[in-house]
Structure formats: C-alpha cells, structure tokens
Amino acid sequence: MAKSKTAKQAPRKSPATPTSATKNATVVPVASVALQQQKQVAARYALRGALAAALLGTVLSFILNWGRTPVPLVGDWMAFGILAVILGAVFASVAAAYSYVIGLRFRNTQMPPNRRHNYWISVAPVALGIGMQIFLAAGIGIIFANVVFKELALINGIASPIVGAICAVIVYNVMGRFLLVNERSVLLTLALLLFLGIVVAAANEQNPKWWEESFSYLGTAESNTNLFFNISFVLTGLLIVVWQQFYLENITILVERTIVRPRAHTILKYGIIVVGIFVTLIGILHWGDGPVTTTVHDLSAYTAGGLITLAMLAIRWLIPKMSNEFYVATYVMAAVMIGAVLMLLFGIFNTVGVEFVYFTTAGAWFVLLLESTEMLVAATAPATR
C-alpha cells in the first residue's frame, strides 16, 4: 500500500542553509585572531629576553662591584645608576637587533613579494638608534633619581638587582616594540631619538646663550655636548630611510587600488630618502667647521625643510581621497612653517625660533600623515563576507 501523503517525515536540512546556531554565532575575523596570536608570541619572547637581561645585568653589576660597600647611585662608572644606563643601552641594542630581524622575517612570510623588506641593511640603524635612545632616556632618569635621592648608596646585594630590573624593563619594552615591527614603531623610535638628542645636548650645554645662534651650534666643536647632538641626527636620518619602506607599504596598497598614481609613489619614496640623507648630513658636516662644510650643512637643513614643506603643499595630488580635515590641517601647518621663515627674514624670529617651529610642526604632520594614510587604506579595503 502506498504511504499516505499526510504521513510525517523528518525535515531535511539543505546543505547550503546554515543552521540557526551558525546564524547566531559570532564570527571572529581570521586576521584578528592571527594578530592576537602574534602579540601573544611576541609577549612570550619579550618576557624571555627580559628575564635574561635581568639575570645578566644583576650578575655583571654584582661582579663589577665585588667587595664594594656601599655602591653609590652615581659618581663613577661602576655606580649602579651609571651601570644601569650603560648596560640598558647595550642590552637594548642587542634586543632591538634580534627582535627586528625575527619580526621582519616573520612579517615577510605574511606579505606579497612587493611588500617584503631586506632587514640586513636596516638592522644596524635600528639597533644603534634604540641604543642611543635608551642611553639618553635612562640617563635623564638617573639624573632625576639623583635629584630625588641625593647621595644614595646601597649594598651590592640590593643595588645589583635594581640594575637587573631596569635592564629587564628596557629589554621587554624594546622587544615588544620590534617583534611586531611596523611604521609606527620605527617612527616612534626616530622621533624620540631626535627629541632626546636635542634636549640632552641643550640642557647640558655650557654656553647659556647658544640659542642666539641656532640648534646647529650644539653640534659644533665649541659645544661640549656635540657628540649627543651629532650622533642623534645621523641615526635619525638613517631611521627616516628605514621608516619610508614601512610607510610605503600603505602607499603600495593605494597604488594597487588605483587611488595613488605610481609616479606619486616614486616621488614619496625618493623624497623621504633624500630627506633622511640630508638629516644625516646635518650630523656629519658640522656648522662652523669651515666655509664649505658650513654651506653644505646649511643647504642640507634648508633642503630637508623645503622638501617637507613642498610635500605638504602637494599632498592632495600625491595622496588623493583623504579627508578634507587632513588637507586643511596640512595647509595650515605649511602656512605656519612658511610664516616662520618670513618672520626670520624680517627679523622677528631668530634661527632657533624657525627651527623649533619646523621641528614641532613637521613632527606633528608626519604623525597625522601616518594616521590618515592608514585610515584611507582601511576605508578603501574591499568588502569581505
């Protein structure tokens, strides 16, 4: 007998139709999960490096001050504050080199061939720049500690672990920054390096009227702090060249999406490289050493500033489709920089005033440029389902 048409049959699920559980499930992007996993691995590696730095720093400080009680905070090269500065800078350089290479090697495996980087050339500026940055920053910290804790001296068993703890904090921060290296970490490094180099050189300059000349006076033979100033500028210039390859990753994406012209990509690439070279020359060729050296030094400074100003004025052509607010802010900043130069010509500003305006305004604009470029890349990303 044929089955009745009204007989109940088990409902069949279409393989193409998701179940209600799937519909209500929260979908986590694969890229977000991968990023979290990378951060977790980077934190583990950074913690291992910090533990090694703590142990090595403690042991070295203990051995170097063997039989010495108490150990002063400052006063000589074996004082535990001075050892923290020196060992912290050395460990930071080593940690930066290691984590930068490891981070870039992994990063290159996740990138298409046209967005991969050669790290063997750029690792030296990164390592030396981080070492100098930590040396200056830790030095400022120890000076402040000496003001707060005047004539502080501790037994070796306490002073040495303090040295190790400081080294651990430094290494953990550096490795965490460069195991996930990107344009932000490099830009932060070069900005802090340049700022700290100028501040430390100016604060320790014996001539109280140095500002009547220019910032370049801090790099002359007459300055007692010229080493800090010149090394900071040389390394900052090299780091600018390193930074451009990370920043141009976003520009390459915008070229592939036909938003930015290939010619604009080339102009930005070589323009940033030229700016970095001229900044490096400021630290190599010292103002006042001779007519030729002084001329090249001044031309390097003026050319670097002029190229940045030109890029600001042409930014709408170089990178279109950014927000109008960004373009307005850029033009206002450029007007401020040009106005400072005009005030110098009319005797309202001195050279230091113009240089101060250029340093602060250009630095703020680079941060704004980076943020706006990343926002444009995110806004024009193809939709994913």
Side-chain angles (χ1 to χ4, degrees):
M1 182 182 293
K3 292 184 179 179
S4 173
K5 294 183 180 180
T6 60
K8 293 184 179 181
Q9 297 180 358
R12 295 182 180 179
K13 295 180 181 179
S14 172
T17 304
T19 62
S20 59
T22 305
K23 289 181 180 180
N24 297 330
T26 302
V27 178
V28 180
V30 176
S32 177
V33 174
L35 180 60
Q36 292 300 321
Q37 292 175 344
Q38 293 172 26
K39 289 182 178 180
Q40 292 174 3
V41 173
R44 288 170 52 196
Y45 273 84
L47 185 56
R48 293 176 187 176
L51 292 174
L55 178 61
L56 187 57
T58 301
V59 171
L60 286 175
S61 177
F62 192 82
I63 293 174
L64 291 173
N65 285 292
W66 180 266
R68 185 181 186 184
T69 301
V71 181
L73 176 65
V74 294
D76 57 67
W77 292 105
M78 295 299 107
F80 73 90
I82 304 300
L83 280 178
V85 173
I86 297 174
L87 293 178
V90 173
F91 291 170
S93 293
V94 176
Y98 173 78
S99 54
Y100 181 77
V101 171
I102 296 298
L104 266 189
R105 287 176 64 181
F106 175 78
R107 181 186 174 95
N108 285 344
T109 63
Q110 310 298 310
M111 296 291 179
N114 63 332
R115 291 170 58 192
R116 295 173 185 172
H117 304 309
N118 185 337
Y119 44 81
W120 294 117
I121 298 176
S122 57
V123 65
V126 169
L128 294 174
I130 279 291
M132 187 65 180
Q133 175 194 321
I134 295 300
F135 181 81
L136 295 171
I140 293 174
I142 293 301
I143 292 173
F144 177 77
N146 188 48
V147 172
V148 177
F149 304 101
K150 297 182 183 298
E151 300 181 5
L152 176 65
L154 302 172
I155 62 172
N156 197 7
I158 295 178
S160 293
I162 292 177
V163 173
I166 294 174
C167 292
V169 172
I170 291 172
V171 169
Y172 184 82
N173 178 270
V174 169
M175 293 190 68
R177 190 192 312 177
F178 283 99
L179 282 169
L180 300 172
V181 61
N182 54 28
E183 63 272 20
R184 290 175 177 270
S185 55
V186 179
L187 183 62
L188 175 63
T189 299
L190 70 90
L192 287 177
L193 175 60
L194 183 61
F195 173 77
L196 291 171
I198 294 175
V199 168
V200 171
N204 292 279
E205 173 56 45
Q206 293 179 349
N207 180 7
K209 297 292 185 178
W210 67 267
W211 52 269
E212 293 182 349
E213 299 288 342
S214 69
F215 277 107
S216 295
Y217 176 86
L218 299 172
T220 62
E222 290 79 13
S223 172
N224 62 300
T225 58
N226 54 25
L227 195 62
F228 294 139
F229 182 87
N230 292 328
I231 292 178
S232 297
F233 265 86
V234 170
L235 294 176
T236 298
L238 295 176
L239 285 172
I240 290 175
V241 177
V242 174
W243 175 76
Q244 61 83 25
Q245 64 179 343
F246 290 97
Y247 173 70
L248 286 176
E249 284 187 11
N250 287 325
I251 303 300
T252 300
I253 294 174
L254 296 176
V255 170
E256 293 170 352
R257 296 174 184 171
T258 67
I259 296 173
V260 172
R261 303 174 183 88
R263 181 181 298 178
H265 180 282
T266 304
I267 292 173
L268 285 169
K269 176 180 179 179
Y270 291 105
I272 296 174
I273 290 175
V274 170
V275 169
I277 292 173
F278 280 128
V279 172
T280 301
L281 289 176
I282 293 173
I284 295 175
L285 302 175
H286 309 152
W287 182 78
D289 281 359
V292 176
T293 303
T294 299
T295 301
V296 177
H297 175 96
D298 290 341
L299 285 175
S300 299
Y302 296 148
T303 305
L307 287 175
I308 293 173
T309 306
L310 286 175
M312 296 170 73
L313 295 174
I315 192 62
R316 186 184 285 272
W317 178 85
L318 291 170
I319 310 177
K321 296 187 179 181
M322 285 187 171
S323 66
N324 290 328
E325 291 81 2
F326 168 74
Y327 293 128
V328 171
T330 297
Y331 297 146
V332 169
M333 290 179 175
V336 169
M337 296 164 73
I338 296 172
V341 174
L342 294 176
M343 290 182 182
L344 173 65
L345 297 177
F346 286 103
I348 301 174
F349 270 12
N350 65 355
T351 305
V352 169
V354 176
E355 291 171 338
F356 183 78
V357 169
Y358 259 78
F359 285 147
T360 54
T361 307
W365 182 71
F366 272 112
V367 174
L368 187 61
L369 174 66
L370 178 61
E371 293 280 352
S372 299
T373 306
E374 290 179 347
M375 290 173 60
L376 180 60
V377 170
T380 57
T384 57
R385 297 182 64 181

